[in-house]
Amino acid sequence: GSAAVTGNPDFKNPVLSGTKRIPMAKGFKVSRKSPAIGAGVAVSNGATGDFFGDPVPAGPPTIGFDPPG
């Protein structure tokens, strides 16, 4: 999209404590009701996978490092 996204991104469990990076990162996934879903701008020759190695879906991407799930 081209409009700014403001407000709560509605992360699942944004906790910055612990020593396990992947479980901690999973808390920063956006929920299915997040305004960040589909609000990004596709970049030509951009990434084909997200932080967790999952494919980036076609269409406007979700803002953040991992789509909802």
Side-chain angles (χ1 to χ4, degrees), residues 3 10 13 15-16 19 22-23 25 28 30-31 33-34 40 42-43 47 49 51 53-54 56-58 61 64 67-68:
D10 202 27
N13 186 24
V15 177
L16 290 173
T19 59
I22 296 299
F28 285 87
V30 294
S31 75
K33 61 183 181 175
S34 172
V43 176
F51 179 82
D54 298 322
V56 174

Side-chain angles (χ1 to χ4, degrees), residues 26-57:
K26 287 182 179 179
F28 285 87
K29 288 184 175 187
V30 294
S31 75
R32 295 187 187 279
K33 61 183 181 175
S34 172
I37 296 171
V41 176
V43 176
S44 62
N45 297 322
T48 57
D50 64 17
F51 179 82
F52 295 100
D54 298 322
V56 174

